[in-house]
Amino acid sequence: MTINNRLTLLRELMQREHLDAFIIPSTDAHQSEYVADHWKCREWISGFNGSAGTAVVTMDSAALWTDSRYFLAAEEQLKGTEFQLMKLKIAGTPTIAEWINEQFVMNSVQSPEVAIDGMLWSVADAEELIRDLRQHGGITLRTNLDPFKTIWRDRPSLPEGKVEIQPMEYAGESCQSKISRIRHALREQHADGMLISALDDIAWTLNLRGTDVHCTPVFVGYLLISTTSATLYVQKEKLPMEVCRYLDENHIQTDDYANVGKGLKDYFEYNILLDPNETSYTLMKAAVREVVRGASPVPSMKILKNEAEIQGYRRAMLRDGVAMVRFLMWLEDAMESHPTELSVDRKLTALRAAQPLFRDLSFDTIAGYEAHGAIVHYEATPETDIPLQPKGLLLLDSGAQYQDGTTDITRTIALGPLTEEQRHVYTLVLKGHIALARAVFPERTTGTQLDVLARQFMWREGLNYLHGTGHGVGSYLSVHEGPHQFRMEWKPQPLLAGMTVTNEPGIYLTGKFGVRIENTMLIVPAEDSGFFPLPEGERPRYLCLEPLTLCPIDKRPIELSMLTSDERQWLNDYHQMVFDRLSPLLLVEERKWLREATSAL
């Protein structure tokens, strides 16, 4: 069935429901970034498979909004369909409400009605949409329709993967301790209980993992916590006997996933906290008790890693580093046979899969050669796959889910001779990476305040990138974890010791090449504080960034004259650390290769 056929089915249903437009987000009922196949409605209706985007269909037209990561991919995937690409944060791009109103005015639509599936929209997003539509023509929004139940005839069922227990040696804290801390935080917000909707928050709280979402070890469910009880809403067939016993031992009741709305109606406490950014609009409407609107306390707990989690990251990074070294050696030898982007992906995945505790990739590998490297979230397909040539740059962004830690690394690799422009751009990105990596900052500084460090050198030359500079990384959980980030847009979450965060500036020249260099970092106390003028007891606590990722940064593209002595020293020190930690795990030839790859500038 073509995209235009699917649009016809949707419009026929809209006509029966007396609707003038329908809006389809990319989220699921849990506001996830990556979703199970059952909820990929926006992808099904539009053909665009990026992780972020919103589709709007009227009786006469269709449009899709997405961000800069996906501009090039969306343009390609929307070809031959009715969908217009709307580029977010680009001057002249209308908002969804503005565009809908323009369509209605153009077609003289009287008393228009727009619909969404309220289960797929957070309270915050739905209420903002309601306000926007009212301001643009007094448009009414209906929130109780899921057309894909009818028109998506072979729609995948809800995932049925089994739930498993995350052992204490990796979790580092019992689920009872976590629930106790959550209840304490709720009391501080004058709330008696809460509904946890975010899948990674549920997995973290209960020390459980699953396989329901591609590359993210979570399972579909809800967790309702009161002052005296906790209920997990989940499909019963997903729970093996050992998990049932574990939940019973920890006083966690269970109920069917479909009964969460009834659970909110039967909830017996005086009030309940519902996070408007995580709770679906439909479930908020189902709550009969007084609703306390506030941020869930779970993310701020989850992002502070305990000692068991930190040690898990360190072990996972060692194994991942070994896989990366073996891959980089293989790539050098394989260039004579012209490997392709897909064969690069397969080889690196196989090397990771050979490592102990490997469970999955943490996201689909991005292997973009030359012009494909300029597509920020490029993913090679049999149709786009191209062979690598012994020249130019390969941008390789990849990661793995090990049971004791999640990895995320990007290296831009010289495959042969480079242009002066490539060397210059590569060095600008490296300088930005090093500047952020060397940052020393007071505790509770935000990521927004530090973001400029990574961009300063490229800004001086009129270059920039539109994605964030860094995100949190879960502990055998989501590879993108917040709320802290390095980002130009204001993010108020303060930075604290124990957080993980990536450092990944980049430059992308459309039609030419892309460069990105990424390490996963751990925020730690700044031990070397001798340069501070105030005595230790009179100054704020200072923090710095420790690289967790262990892999050489390619020295061949560097324009050495652009690096300062401090920048050279940082890279030499980093490479010495990589060699010292990885070499005991490598074979003789691998150690020899790594010694050269990490030799001092």
Side-chain angles (χ1 to χ4, degrees):
M1 185 184 294
T2 67
I3 298 303
N4 290 339
N5 292 149
R6 295 171 184 179
L7 286 170
T8 297
L9 290 176
L10 177 57
R11 286 174 176 142
E12 288 172 352
L13 184 144
M14 289 165 56
Q15 191 168 34
R16 293 193 298 270
E17 296 287 337
H18 306 290
L19 295 173
D20 302 289
F22 194 83
I23 308 174
I24 308 106
S26 51
T27 57
D28 59 14
H30 304 269
Q31 302 308 305
S32 307
E33 178 183 12
Y34 301 111
V35 304
D37 290 345
H38 175 79
W39 282 293
K40 291 183 178 179
C41 303
R42 189 227 56 221
E43 179 179 336
W44 184 83
I45 197 66
S46 69
F48 168 62
N49 65 4
S51 66
T54 303
V56 182
V57 178
T58 71
M59 296 303 294
D60 305 289
S61 53
L64 182 135
W65 282 254
T66 192
D67 61 51
S68 63
R69 295 173 296 169
Y70 297 112
F71 287 168
L72 296 178
E75 283 179 357
E76 186 64 30
Q77 292 175 7
L78 296 179
K79 282 181 180 177
T81 75
E82 292 185 38
F83 281 94
Q84 304 170 246
L85 175 59
M86 299 293 178
K87 298 181 178 181
L88 289 170
K89 299 182 183 178
I90 299 299
T93 299
T95 66
I96 288 173
E98 288 170 344
W99 183 82
I100 288 175
N101 186 53
E102 289 171 4
Q103 300 303 307
F104 290 166
V105 170
M106 187 186 313
N107 293 285
S108 302
V109 177
Q110 301 298 314
S111 302
E113 186 170 349
V114 178
I116 61 172
D117 178 359
M119 280 298 292
L120 303 186
W121 287 73
S122 71
V123 174
D125 288 343
E127 290 179 343
E128 181 181 3
L129 180 62
I130 289 169
R131 287 192 300 270
D132 289 348
L133 290 172
R134 283 175 181 166
Q135 290 173 3
H136 293 87
I139 300 168
T140 301
L141 183 68
R142 177 179 166 186
T143 63
N144 64 346
L145 178 66
D146 178 4
F148 298 97
K149 285 182 179 178
T150 304
I151 67 173
W152 192 354
R153 291 164 188 163
D154 57 349
R155 183 178 185 177
S157 61
L158 286 170
E160 299 175 350
K162 300 297 184 184
V163 177
E164 63 181 34
I165 300 166
Q166 177 72 339
M168 272 291 291
E169 64 181 298
Y170 306 134
E173 181 183 8
S174 71
C175 73
Q176 280 299 310
S177 172
K178 292 176 179 179
I179 290 173
S180 177
R181 289 204 288 138
I182 291 169
R183 287 180 173 137
H184 178 77
L186 291 173
R187 287 195 296 272
E188 292 183 342
Q189 296 188 60
H190 306 289
D192 296 323
M194 72 174 295
L195 177 71
I196 304 179
S197 297
L199 301 183
D200 58 336
D201 287 358
I202 296 168
W204 176 86
T205 299
L206 297 179
N207 290 338
L208 297 175
R209 298 295 189 268
T211 58
D212 285 353
V213 178
H214 180 57
C215 294
T216 307
V218 296
F219 58 94
V220 171
Y222 292 96
L223 181 61
L224 182 62
I225 296 176
S226 72
T227 55
T228 58
S229 65
T231 302
L232 175 64
Y233 292 88
V234 65
Q235 294 169 282
K236 296 291 181 66
E237 58 269 22
K238 298 171 64 62
L239 303 178
M241 283 303 301
E242 63 173 336
V243 175
C244 289
R245 285 194 298 270
Y246 168 84
L247 291 170
D248 186 60
E249 290 167 1
N250 286 283
H251 312 293
I252 310 296
Q253 303 171 44
T254 60
D255 199 348
D256 190 79
Y257 177 74
N259 289 340
V260 63
K262 182 178 182 296
L264 286 171
K265 289 184 172 68
D266 295 342
Y267 175 78
F268 58 89
E269 303 273 17
Y270 175 72
N271 64 23
I272 183 169
L273 184 141
L274 297 176
D275 187 329
N277 292 305
E278 294 185 1
T279 308
S280 77
Y281 187 78
T282 298
L283 290 181
M284 175 75 84
K285 291 297 184 183
V288 296
R289 298 296 182 179
E290 178 180 323
V291 171
V292 177
R293 288 180 174 234
S296 166
V298 179
S300 61
M301 298 178 182
K302 184 179 75 220
I303 59 178
L304 295 176
K305 311 307 181 191
N306 60 46
E307 188 58 29
E309 291 172 320
I310 290 172
Q311 293 309 314
Y313 279 110
R314 297 192 192 285
R315 293 190 300 269
M317 296 293 175
L318 282 168
R319 296 194 296 277
D320 209 58
V322 168
M324 285 297 300
V325 165
R326 289 172 177 164
F327 167 79
L328 292 171
M329 285 185 63
W330 168 86
L331 182 62
E332 287 185 1
D333 293 338
M335 286 307 299
E336 292 183 4
S337 57
H338 300 296
T340 71
E341 294 166 329
L342 282 178
S343 67
V344 160
D345 181 356
R346 289 192 294 268
K347 181 63 177 182
L348 180 53
T349 298
L351 289 168
R352 283 192 164 115
Q355 295 297 318
L357 298 182
F358 175 85
R359 293 293 179 267
D360 198 354
L361 299 181
S362 55
F363 55 96
D364 289 317
T365 298
I366 298 168
Y369 176 58
E370 289 289 74
H372 284 169
I375 304 172
V376 179
H377 273 207
Y378 171 76
E379 183 182 338
T381 67
E383 293 73 30
T384 67
D385 188 28
I386 56 175
L388 311 186
Q389 302 296 328
K391 63 179 180 178
L393 294 171
L394 171 69
L395 190 155
L396 185 64
D397 188 351
S398 64
Q401 295 284 7
Y402 301 97
Q403 192 169 8
D404 53 356
T406 301
T407 69
D408 186 1
I409 173 177
T410 306
R411 291 294 182 262
T412 303
I413 305 159
L415 300 180
L418 304 177
T419 66
E420 289 186 13
E421 183 180 42
Q422 287 175 321
R423 292 167 58 83
H424 188 77
V425 165
Y426 182 94
T427 311
L428 286 176
V429 173
L430 177 60
K431 286 172 71 69
H433 179 93
I434 293 174
L436 183 54
R438 296 180 64 234
V440 178
F441 49 94
E443 186 176 56
R444 308 196 73 81
T445 298
T446 70
T448 304
Q449 291 169 303
L450 298 180
D451 182 82
V452 66
L453 295 176
R455 300 178 190 264
Q456 57 183 314
F457 305 104
M458 58 186 73
W459 278 0
R460 291 172 189 165
E461 300 193 20
L463 297 169
N464 195 20
Y465 52 96
L466 298 181
H467 61 72
T469 303
H471 55 82
V473 177
S475 176
Y476 186 40
L477 274 174
S478 174
V479 73
H480 293 154
E481 187 174 84
H484 64 296
Q485 297 181 42
F486 294 129
R487 182 171 287 276
M488 289 175 62
E489 297 83 1
W490 172 240
K491 294 293 180 182
Q493 172 65 47
L495 300 177
L496 302 169
M499 291 178 174
T500 53
V501 63
T502 61
N503 173 2
E504 49 180 309
I507 294 176
Y508 314 94
L509 302 183
T510 303
K512 293 184 176 180
F513 62 91
V515 174
R516 184 163 65 250
I517 299 172
E518 175 187 18
N519 279 350
T520 299
M521 320 288 283
L522 176 68
I523 301 178
V524 297
E527 296 177 354
D528 182 11
S529 56
F531 60 88
F532 292 118
L534 292 175
E536 184 174 351
E538 298 178 22
R539 65 170 182 261
R541 188 185 194 199
Y542 275 73
L543 305 174
C544 61
L545 298 168
E546 175 192 329
L548 290 172
T549 300
L550 299 171
C551 178
I553 294 172
D554 198 343
K555 297 176 296 180
R556 293 169 295 184
I558 299 174
E559 195 173 309
L560 291 176
S561 62
M562 292 174 61
L563 294 187
T564 67
S565 59
D566 286 342
E567 290 165 344
R568 293 186 187 210
Q569 188 61 53
W570 181 90
L571 188 59
N572 289 341
D573 290 345
Y574 173 71
H575 276 156
Q576 186 63 52
M577 179 187 72
V578 169
F579 181 82
D580 290 345
R581 295 186 183 178
L582 292 184
S583 58
L585 306 174
L586 299 173
L587 302 175
V588 173
E589 285 303 309
E590 295 166 346
R591 285 198 298 271
K592 181 179 178 182
W593 181 93
L594 183 61
R595 169 58 75 189
E596 176 58 31
T598 59
S599 62
L601 293 177

